[in-house]
Each structure stands twice: as structure tokens, then as C-alpha cells.
Amino acid sequence: MPLPPAVGLALDNADRKELMAIRQHRSAPRGLVLRINIILGAAEGLANRVLARKLSTSVPTVLLWRKRYESDGIRGILADRPRPGRPKRISEERESAIVEATITTTPKDATQWSVRTMAAAQKVSSATVQRIWKRHKLQPHRVESFKFSNDPHFAPKVRDIVGLYVNPPDKAIVLSVDEKSQIQALDRTQPILPLRPGLPERQTHDYQRHGTTTLFAALNVLEGTVIGECQPRHRHQEFLRFLDRIDQYVNAELEIHLVLDNYGTHKHPAVKKWLAARPRYHVHFTPTGSSWINQIERWFAEITRKRIRRGTFRSVRDLIKAIQDYIRLYNRNPRPFQWVASASRIIRKVNKYKGTSKTGDQRGSAPARQACRSAPLACMIWIVENHFHEWDHRKAITWP
């Protein structure tokens, strides 16, 4: 028995044109296209069952969107109604209590909370704790290190050294100098298994020590080249020998500005006497506890990551040869690090986080805890040191 014709849906001409234009658009969502086809088919007078079968959908769906258009018009088709969602099972007071407990307390048997221990202590689900921690950017399992310089002349020294990096003097060379001591020649106890498809390179966790060496290095801040020399120890005698090499390497007509840290070897009376006898040398010491400002430290990180950490050396001679080869290849295509942080910005940032530290840490007074919640990054003191490492030989990195 044929179905009786359905009552045609009254569709305005302007709405029809708009719906057809949307349907023809390639990026239109499939769900929206289905709604439009239902409305257009209903406007042609197709029976609800026929229209449902034609569009591979159900009759209740056809009835739903017909009623939606009749009540809300075209806006009811193009936009979903707001949905209440799942009712919130935890109050704001309860959520604040969990955040407060995470920041200000620790478990009796541990140094930090885990999701499960906090869930058990607060009598909520682990998923609830995880969701709250994610919303408030709390990560109790992580810890970072920091250190503020207690040098009373911190600001003048920073301005001095950053000035050398940003605006080096004419007819002079700026050398960032330091030593990487106690580099171990390590050999694995068994042969390394090579890289295979689907498998990384594998090496034994234990190793054999075959001695150590010390790498003395001087980074030309402007050009990026490195003067390097390995010596068995890192006393002032070895440092003087390295200074002699620098003196022979650098053009005698150039002034030499050395950026050094406060290691005792660099301030030995014999070293001071050597420098005093050569007026073209100008020494700039980094602030106490602020070796991050010495660019050679960044280069040490590069050679460690690329050549030393995963290297296998059966003798100190092999280790020294690997270091010398790396320096030789590096100097063929040197890439100077580009310092982009001004001294004023560094000093302001250090003073800002020092103030946060003195006001109270995350476990301190209520005002300090409130400040941490309103500005979480301001409480991460370690970010000071991390930002100071943001110079790169490929591009300038702007400080946030």
C-alpha cells in the first residue's frame, strides 16, 4: 500500500538558496549536509520514511530536524543547541582544597604526591585529581634546579660581559674560555649492537674506565671558531700552557678579551703575573655561580651531546683524537652563537624571581601561594636559568 504524501515543509526561498549554497561547499561537515538534505527533501513533500531510507538515516532523525526548522528556522539547522553536559560532581571548594593540599603538603611516606596517593587522601577518583592538576598546571612529580648568584657585583659583571657579546670592541677578539675537566674514556664491556630497522642502537649499561683528560677551549664569540687543547690535568700550569697557545694563535695586533669564570686556576698568582706582563689581555670574570653566561659552556654541551656521551673509547688517546677531530671539523664551518638577551632584561628577570623567592615559596604564606596560582610561571624559579641558555647558532631566539 503506497505511503500517503507527507505535508510539505514550508521553506523560504532565501533559506533554500542559503542551504543549497552551504551543501555545495566542499568543506561542509557531513552532519550539516545531512540536515540540509532532510530539510530540502521535506520541502519537496517526500514522506518521512522515504526520506530516511534515501538518506540512510532514521525516521526520528528526520522528524527531529523538521521540527527544529519549524521552531528555530535556519539557525536551528546550522548551529547546535547548547548542551548541559555531565553535571559537575566536585564543587569549587573541594577542587580548591585539592590544589591547596598539592601545593602545601606532602605525604607521610613520600616527598611528593602522586595521582593515586592524592586521590586516596582526598577520597576522589584518580581521574578527578589528574583533571584538576592539568587544569591548574600542577606537576608534583617534576623538579628543576636553580641558583641565584650572591655576587654583590652581579649587575655590573652581567652588563660588562653581555656588552662584549652584543657589541664587541673594534680591533679586538673576544674569547670565551673554560675547561671541561675529567672527561672519561669509557669503553662498553660488550660490543655495541648496531642500529637495525625497528631497533635502536644498543649498548651495555656498564662500562670500563680507561683514564680521563681535560679539554681547555676558547670560543671566538664573533666568528664561532674554537681553540682547543687536551691536557691530563687542570691546574694553573696547564692553564698557562693553554694561554701560551692562545697567544701564539691570535694575531699580535689584536686586543684579547677573555671571559672566565671564578675557578681558582684562573685567579692563581702565576696566571695574574702572566696576564700582567701582556697588556693586550683584558679579563672579564663572570658573576659568582653564573657560569651560564659563559658561551663556551654552550659549546661544551654540543660536543658532549654529539661526540662524547655515546662515544666508545678504549684509551685516553682515542678520546683525545675524537675531540680533536670534532674541533677540526667544527672549525671548517663555524656557527657563532647569537646572544639576544639584553643585560637589563636579564637583571630585571633575576630581580623579579629573587623577589618571588624572598616573598615565599609555593609552600609559604597564603599571599605567595595565591600569587603562584594566579601566575604559575612566576613561581618556577628555575625558568631564570633555563632562559639564559636560549642562544642558538642557527637563529636568534627572542626571550619571552
Side-chain angles (χ1 to χ4, degrees), residues 37-50:
N37 289 333
I38 290 174
I39 300 303
L40 295 177
E44 294 175 0
L46 295 177
N48 294 329
R49 293 183 180 179
V50 174

Side-chain angles (χ1 to χ4, degrees), residues 291-302:
S291 60
W292 43 261
I293 204 171
N294 201 342
Q295 287 198 31
I296 191 63
E297 299 291 346
R298 184 65 185 85
W299 186 83
F300 283 153
E302 287 291 303

Side-chain angles (χ1 to χ4, degrees), residues 1-4 34 37-38 41-42 46-63:
M1 183 175 180
L3 294 172
L34 174 62
N37 289 333
I38 290 174
L46 295 177
N48 294 329
R49 293 183 180 179
V50 174
L51 187 57
R53 186 165 54 249
K54 180 180 179 181
L55 298 177
S56 300
T57 187
S58 63
V59 173
T61 301
V62 174
L63 295 174

Side-chain angles (χ1 to χ4, degrees), residues 88-106:
K88 192 172 183 179
R89 295 185 177 183
I90 184 170
S91 63
E92 293 183 1
E93 292 76 11
R94 187 67 169 159
E95 181 173 332
S96 299
I98 294 175
V99 173
E100 185 78 8
T102 305
I103 294 175
T104 61
T105 65
T106 55

Side-chain angles (χ1 to χ4, degrees), residues 247-280:
D247 198 49
Q248 297 173 3
Y249 183 86
V250 179
N251 189 336
E253 299 179 358
L254 294 178
E255 298 285 314
I256 301 177
H257 293 262
L258 301 179
V259 179
L260 298 169
D261 62 18
N262 294 273
Y263 184 53
T265 295
H266 304 154
K267 297 183 177 181
H268 193 276
V271 175
K272 292 181 179 180
K273 182 179 179 180
W274 189 95
L275 294 171
R278 294 163 177 80
R280 70 171 181 148

Side-chain angles (χ1 to χ4, degrees), residues 172-234:
I173 182 173
V174 179
L175 297 178
S176 177
V177 181
D178 201 2
E179 57 271 348
K180 184 176 178 61
S181 61
Q182 300 296 314
I183 307 176
Q184 299 187 76
L186 301 180
D187 185 18
R188 300 294 163 178
T189 57
Q190 296 179 9
I192 294 176
L193 299 180
L195 177 70
R196 299 286 179 85
L199 292 174
E201 180 184 280
R202 289 163 290 175
Q203 58 186 13
T204 59
H205 67 279
D206 54 346
Y207 47 82
Q208 295 177 344
R209 295 184 178 93
H210 296 292
T212 63
T213 188
T214 295
L215 171 61
F216 289 81
L219 172 68
N220 187 329
V221 172
L222 185 61
E223 298 179 358
T225 55
V226 172
I227 306 171
E229 183 177 77
C230 290
Q231 300 196 42
R233 302 177 69 178
H234 57 288

